[in-house]
Structures are given as C-alpha cells and as structure tokens.
Amino acid sequence: MLYRENGQFKTSYRADQQIFPIRQDRIVIIAFLALAFVVVPGLASEYLLRAILVPFLILALAAIGLNILVGYCGQISLGTGAFMAIGAYAAYNFNVRIEGMPLLLSLVLGGVCSTAVGVLFGIPSLRIKGLYLAVATLAAQFFTDWAFLRIKWFTNDSSSGSVSVSGLQVLGWHIDTPADKYLFCLGLVCVCALMAKNLVRGHIGREWMAMRDMDVAASVIGIRPVYAKLSAFAVSSFFVGIAGALWGFVHLGSWEPAAFSIDRSFQLLFMVIIGGLGSIMGSFFGAAFIIVLPIVLDNLPYWFGIPVDTALASHLTNMVFGALIVFFLVVEPHGLARLWSTAKEKLRLWPFPH
C-alpha cells in the first residue's frame, strides 16, 4: 500500500523523465545514501570496511564500465582486467613522476589513458563481433600482462615488478583509515554511477542500444557505427581505468600485474551477467553477489557449529557458488536487476496483479 503513484502528477517532460520518477524511490535512495555516508563509517568494523565494502564499491564501478560495453552496446569484452591495469599503472606513473600531482587528477588521467588504449583495441569491433571480438579484446589482456612485467619503465624501474603508493590525500584530507578509504570510494562511485546513468538515458545511450539490438538497422536510420561502438569502448574503458586505479591505490596499496589477471576479467563479466545486462543497478547487484556470497558460504558451517575441514569447505563453497549462479541464470536470465524490477512492479500493482 505504501508503493503507489496515486496523486503524483507530471506536468513537464523533465519531471516525467527524471531518474527516479516515483517519490517513494527518491525517498528510499536518499535514505540509503544517508545510511551509506553517515551510519556505515561509524558503525562498521575495520574488517567489513577493508575486506568487503571497499572491494565491493570498486568492482561495482568496474562492472558499470563493462556493462556499458557489453550490456548497452552489445560488444563482448574479455580484457577488462587489462584496462584496470592500464588505469592503475598510468595513475601510478603520473603520481610518482610529476611532483605534487593531485590524487584525483592522477585517477582521472589513469582513466584517460585506459580510454585511449580501449579505443585502440575497440577498432576491430568495426569489422568483427561476437566471439571474434572477444578474442580480440582478450589480446589486450595478454599484451598488458607482458608489458607491465617486462617493460621496467611502467613500474618505475622496480626490481621486483611490484609498485606501491602511500600518503593518499585529497584537498588536505588524508585517506589513511578504512573509513576514509570507504568514503572516498563511495563518493567517486556515486559520481561515476550518476554519470553513467545519465549517459545511457540520453541520445548516446540510445545509439548504443540500437547497435546492440540490430546494428544494420541502426546504421540505416542514421546512427554511425564507428562513433557508437568506439564511444562505448571509450566510456567503458574510462570507468574501468578509474576502478583499476582505485583498486591499486586505495584497496591494495601495493600491487603487481597478477592483481589484474584474466581471472579479474572473468569475475567482472560474471558480475555483469548475474546482476543484469543493460542495468546500472544490476552492476551493484552482481558485485554484491560475487563478493558477499563466497564469504557467507565460507562461514556458514561455523555459524551453525558444523565441523568441516578447511579444504572441504573451500571446495563446497565453489560448488555451491557455481550451482547458485546456474540457478539464478535459469530462473531469470536477465539477472538480479530484472528480479528487482519485477518485485517493484508487483508492489505497484498489489493487490490487483495482472
């Protein structure tokens, strides 16, 4: 009874096309943001902030970038980990080679460098698609793994191949504690998610979706495939590059190329598929599913006092995790975001479903 649109009249196109047209949605989002920004930093433990919330936010941002490319434009990519690595190493080099480089500017420039490389590897999408394009983007993963391992300039001539950053600060705000890192990541993710949402709602997003649905028909009605596909690669790589820089600077602090291996690329692709293709909210659902569920499954036997060997528990976690992924994809192939949307529609129509 609380989720109704009765009496909520729209008197302008702006009001009708806003991101959250229902008043109850706006209230819930404002309350959720207040909870995330004010309550969580004060009450959450250090483990929760450092091991769960910060990785969740960063990987959700990377999943948003990948979802723009795969979900909205229909271009398959298996090189997301490579673009994260490019953003991380580019931001690192800007930070250590330019004296007094602001942290935010380093992160943005890392995203810009990732954008340039993403457009370069997106050029084959003008000629090929499907699995052939996936293999072409996979080449970016192997190339970056080789480059960051063999070319010492990228690691500032580090003998071990690993790099590290410290003393993070923004406008005099020292980002040292887990709560500071959480708030910094949360602010950036909120800004980037709002930008992505507005992009996919505008004419650029409609061009991406037209290319996804039928590229030949899209070109017939005047949409330029070159612009649509390369802009999707550019925007996707930008968000993924910023996420990679955050992963290295804020979450890890010290990293090597193995932190952005092909496993990371597959993990992000699973997040997008499980969360929901073509949904910004689905990127958050997918990241939460991939990060939180294994932790819950690992601790479930101990919560119920069931004695389980550590090795057996690890194998059981992987088996149950894989089975749940298959179950969700069978029940709802469009992901968790579709289940969320269906539940909201049921609430709006209850008790008169049709």
Side-chain angles (χ1 to χ4, degrees):
M1 298 298 292
L2 298 176
Y3 196 66
R4 289 289 186 273
E5 298 179 63
N6 297 342
Q8 301 183 35
F9 303 108
K10 308 297 188 300
T11 58
S12 65
Y13 285 113
R14 180 185 297 271
D16 191 49
Q17 295 178 356
Q18 56 189 329
I19 297 178
F20 301 106
I22 303 176
R23 183 185 302 117
Q24 291 89 332
D25 286 340
R26 295 195 294 271
I27 294 173
V28 170
I29 290 297
I30 292 173
F32 184 79
L33 289 176
L35 177 70
F37 276 100
V38 179
V39 179
V40 171
L43 298 182
S45 64
E46 181 177 344
Y47 170 78
L48 180 62
L49 292 171
R50 186 189 300 274
I52 298 178
L53 293 180
V54 170
F56 159 72
L57 290 171
I58 298 174
L59 292 179
L61 177 57
I64 289 173
L66 182 59
N67 213 338
I68 288 175
L69 184 63
V70 179
Y72 285 97
C73 196
Q75 308 300 305
I76 301 177
S77 174
L78 295 178
T80 315
F83 301 126
M84 288 184 70
I86 292 167
Y89 279 98
Y92 167 77
N93 278 278
F94 281 116
N95 191 64
V96 299
R97 297 181 187 278
I98 301 178
E99 186 69 26
M101 172 66 71
L103 175 61
L104 281 176
L105 185 57
S106 298
L107 299 177
V108 172
L109 289 175
V112 171
C113 292
S114 181
T115 298
V117 179
V119 170
L120 179 64
F121 279 94
I123 292 176
S125 68
L126 306 177
R127 293 287 183 179
I128 58 178
K129 56 185 177 181
L131 293 177
Y132 299 99
L133 179 60
V135 173
T137 56
L138 191 60
Q141 184 71 54
F142 296 123
F143 176 77
T144 55
D145 287 347
W146 173 85
F148 294 132
L149 276 174
R150 302 300 180 185
I151 303 176
K152 296 298 182 183
W153 186 87
F154 290 122
T155 59
N156 199 23
D157 299 320
S158 172
S159 59
S160 62
S162 63
V163 298
S164 61
V165 292
S166 60
L168 303 179
Q169 61 175 340
V170 177
L171 301 176
W173 173 33
H174 293 276
I175 306 173
D176 298 326
T177 65
D180 293 334
K181 294 179 179 180
Y182 163 77
L183 288 172
F184 179 66
C185 291
L186 180 61
L188 272 182
V189 170
C190 288
V191 172
C192 292
L194 181 62
M195 292 171 56
K197 186 64 177 179
N198 283 315
L199 275 174
V200 300
R201 293 170 67 240
H203 68 93
I204 298 177
R206 289 193 290 272
E207 290 181 356
W208 293 341
M209 288 182 278
M211 295 302 301
R212 175 197 64 190
D213 295 337
M214 187 173 292
D215 53 355
V216 176
S219 61
V220 167
I221 64 176
I223 296 175
R224 295 172 293 173
V226 174
Y227 174 78
K229 292 183 179 181
L230 292 186
S231 64
F233 270 96
V235 174
S236 171
S237 301
F238 178 75
F239 287 132
V240 171
I242 292 180
L246 285 175
W247 188 262
F249 277 57
V250 179
H251 178 54
L252 298 179
S254 176
W255 72 93
E256 56 186 10
F260 305 100
S261 63
I262 191 172
D263 292 338
R264 185 72 61 202
S265 299
F266 284 120
Q267 183 187 40
L268 291 169
L269 186 60
F270 294 154
M271 288 181 186
V272 171
I273 294 173
I274 294 170
L277 291 168
S279 170
I280 301 298
M281 182 66 72
S283 301
F284 289 95
F285 287 149
F289 185 90
I290 294 293
I291 292 175
V292 175
L293 187 62
I295 297 175
V296 173
L297 292 176
D298 282 336
N299 292 280
L300 202 60
Y302 304 102
W303 291 342
F304 289 96
I306 303 174
V308 179
D309 181 69
T310 304
L312 177 60
S314 176
H315 291 301
L316 287 175
T317 298
N318 292 331
M319 292 169 61
V320 174
F321 184 63
L324 286 174
I325 290 176
V326 174
F327 172 76
F328 275 114
L329 292 180
V330 170
V331 172
E332 183 49 75
H334 297 289
L336 298 175
R338 181 60 181 173
L339 292 176
W340 173 254
S341 178
T342 302
K344 288 174 61 178
E345 291 298 325
K346 293 289 186 181
L347 285 175
R348 290 167 68 182
L349 297 173
W350 186 86
F352 307 108
H354 63 273

